[in-house]
């Protein structure tokens, strides 16, 4: 065999092995007992705000309709668009049941058994409690149907191939929920930070394939926007007190009197400002307990 032939042969073999891995690797999904707790739509409506569902799935200042699809989520892989999750049977999730919803939200798997892109923060939502999932579902069922399809993602090859998410998930993700004891303020804060408000989706760095890497909450570049570290040490260096953080999460004011900008504005406006005071305090208790991880 000539060298060229050897190289071509080698590349082909490599390609087929890759393909086989992609096809053989199963999606990490779990058959779970159906959630039977009754959903509270009123709690769910608050959660839709504090968990960021509204911010991503509603395009501000457009005639598109509430929960009928979001603005571009810009990433190094292209633009993602959060779809229509209104009660439209055709364009939204109007004909879903709680099982389908649970699988989407906590396991990142669509009704066809394919993976969602991690632009949908299912890796954080995996730790949501059954009650919170039921409440969210109850609230979404009451959202007025918008009969409009949303935009396709604008993602280039090879990231536009959903099958590629199989090995990605196999390497980088799990659907196993974190076990979080919410009976203490620190525990409640951890649940809010890690599961509900998914602070790490922006503040934890990622590798070149978009998977989170240490240091946890250690600061991350969001396509040119810097989401600074939010660990106890970072607050110490900036000379923030716990109260500074609690009030910042309510109105976005920094200790020096300036106001925060960029994507953190939405997090506060729709998210943390709609939480009860004790929840903002719990977030601060938790973050100030993070000496270094
Ligand atoms: C950071 C932005 C973001 C947040 C926050 C977010 N989503 Fe999404 N969501 C997306 C994207 C992007 C997709 C599409 C993913 C894909 O196509 O693989 C999606 C998909 C979905 C789907 C699947 C819809 C379908 O037709 O298959 C559901 C259901 C959903 N989100 C519900 C929620 C709920 C409930 C919340 C809040 C608890 C939420 N999302 C928060 C970005 C977000
Ligand atoms: C959608 C991405 C995103 C999410 C989610 C997010 N943040 Fe931020 N955050 C940012 C960005 C970007 C900045 C910097 C904004 C700027 O400098 O104008 C920031 C700034 C901050 C700051 C100010 C830090 C400093 O040094 O000035 C704090 C504190 C903070 N975030 C805490 C949180 C907490 C707590 C959560 C979860 C409840 C959270 N963030 C969720 C993107 C995000």
């Amino acid at each position: 065999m000539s060298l060229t032939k050897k190289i071509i042969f080698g590349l082909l073999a490599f390609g087929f092995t890759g393909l086989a891995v992609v096809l053989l690797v199963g999606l990490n999904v779990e058959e779970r007992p159906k959630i039977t707790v009754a959903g509270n739509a009123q709690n769910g409506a608050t959660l839709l705000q504090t968990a960021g569902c509204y911010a991503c799935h509603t395009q501000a200042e457009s005639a598109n309709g509430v929960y009928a699809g979001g603005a571009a989520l810009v990433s190094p892989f292209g633009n993602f668009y959060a779809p229509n999750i209104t009660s439209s049977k055709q364009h939204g999730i109007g004909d879903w049941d709680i099982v389908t919803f649970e699988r989407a939200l906590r396991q990142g798997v669509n009704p066809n058994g394919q993976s969602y892109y991690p632009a949908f923060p299912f890796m954080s939502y995996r730790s949501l409690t059954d009650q919170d999932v039921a409440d969210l579902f109850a609230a979404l069922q009451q959202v007025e149907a918008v009969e409009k399809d949303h935009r396709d993602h604008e993602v280039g090859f090879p990231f536009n191939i959903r099958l590629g998410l199989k090995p990605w998930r196999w390497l980088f993700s799990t659907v196993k929920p974190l076990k979080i004891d919410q009976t203490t303020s620190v525990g409640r804060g951890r649940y809010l930070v890690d599961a509900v408000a998914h602070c790490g989706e922006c503040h934890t760095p990622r590798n070149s394939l978009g998977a989170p890497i240490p240091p946890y909450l250690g600061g991350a570049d969001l396509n040119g926007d810097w989401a600074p570290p939010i660990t106890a040490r970072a607050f110490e260096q900036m000379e923030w007190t716990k109260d500074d953080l609690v009030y910042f999460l309510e109105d976005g004011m920094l200790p020096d009197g300036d106001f925060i900008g960029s994507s953190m504005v939405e997090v506060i406006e729709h998210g943390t400002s709609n939480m009860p005071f004790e929840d903002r305090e719990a977030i601060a208790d938790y973050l100030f307990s993070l000496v270094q991880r």
Side-chain angles (χ1 to χ4, degrees):
M1 238 194 291
S2 74
L3 184 61
T4 331
K5 270 190 185 157
K6 268 187 194 161
I7 290 175
I8 291 174
F9 185 75
L11 282 176
L12 275 177
F14 186 73
F16 280 124
T17 317
L19 193 64
V21 168
V22 167
L23 295 175
L24 288 175
V25 167
L27 264 187
N28 35 357
V29 194
E30 291 178 354
E31 285 301 326
R32 292 183 176 163
K34 183 175 170 180
I35 294 178
T36 50
V37 287
N40 177 322
Q42 207 181 338
N43 289 345
T46 308
L47 264 172
L48 284 170
Q49 297 282 334
T50 54
C53 326
Y54 176 88
C56 274
H57 284 272
T58 303
Q59 190 170 358
E61 293 147 27
S62 92
N64 209 28
V66 177
Y67 295 108
L73 295 162
V74 182
S75 83
F77 312 102
N79 297 337
F80 291 96
Y81 294 92
N84 182 333
I85 53 167
T86 69
S87 59
S88 160
K89 288 198 189 329
Q90 196 188 344
H91 303 286
I93 60 167
D95 61 356
W96 286 27
D97 61 8
I98 184 87
V99 176
T100 317
F101 182 70
E102 189 281 334
R103 209 173 282 154
L105 193 63
R106 290 200 298 206
Q107 308 196 55
V109 174
N110 74 15
N112 302 327
Q114 293 173 314
S115 180
Y116 287 115
Y117 287 99
F120 175 23
F122 60 85
M123 284 229 273
S124 298
Y125 298 148
R126 74 188 150 113
S127 305
L128 288 175
T129 60
D130 285 3
Q131 185 66 60
D132 282 351
V133 174
D135 292 356
L136 282 164
F137 188 59
L140 280 173
Q141 283 181 309
Q142 296 189 355
V143 167
E144 198 183 328
V146 176
E147 302 301 338
K148 201 190 280 179
D149 228 351
H150 201 56
R151 301 177 68 154
D152 288 336
H153 304 314
E154 292 153 354
V155 183
F157 181 82
F159 304 109
N160 56 351
I161 301 177
R162 254 182 216 277
L163 221 50
L165 288 164
K166 272 187 170 186
W168 188 93
R169 287 172 62 119
W170 183 62
L171 285 169
F172 299 121
S173 89
T174 167
V175 298
K176 292 254 177 295
L178 298 169
K179 290 215 163 48
I180 304 176
D181 171 14
Q182 292 189 54
T183 55
T184 62
S185 182
V186 169
R188 173 70 182 159
R190 179 174 181 213
Y191 179 70
L192 292 165
V193 166
D194 284 350
V196 177
H198 55 271
C199 315
E201 298 278 345
C202 292
H203 286 273
T204 296
R206 294 172 187 264
N207 66 17
S208 56
L209 290 173
I213 48 171
Y216 170 67
L217 300 179
D221 179 22
L222 307 174
N223 250 28
D225 246 357
W226 175 242
I230 52 170
T231 57
R233 197 165 69 179
F235 292 122
E236 191 188 314
Q237 281 168 353
M238 298 191 295
E239 300 183 352
W240 285 40
T241 64
K242 217 186 261 187
D243 279 346
D244 288 337
L245 179 56
V246 174
Y247 291 112
F248 167 76
L249 294 173
E250 183 177 349
D251 62 10
M253 193 170 84
L254 299 161
D256 65 9
D258 256 0
F259 281 89
I260 198 74
S262 104
S263 48
M264 193 59 203
V265 174
E266 280 197 339
V267 173
I268 294 170
E269 197 173 298
H270 296 292
T272 52
S273 69
N274 285 312
M275 291 177 182
F277 178 81
E278 303 79 64
D279 276 357
R280 286 189 293 272
E281 232 179 3
I283 291 178
D285 280 339
Y286 172 61
L287 292 178
F288 271 75
S289 78
L290 287 180
V291 178
Q292 200 55 359
R293 274 221 251 166

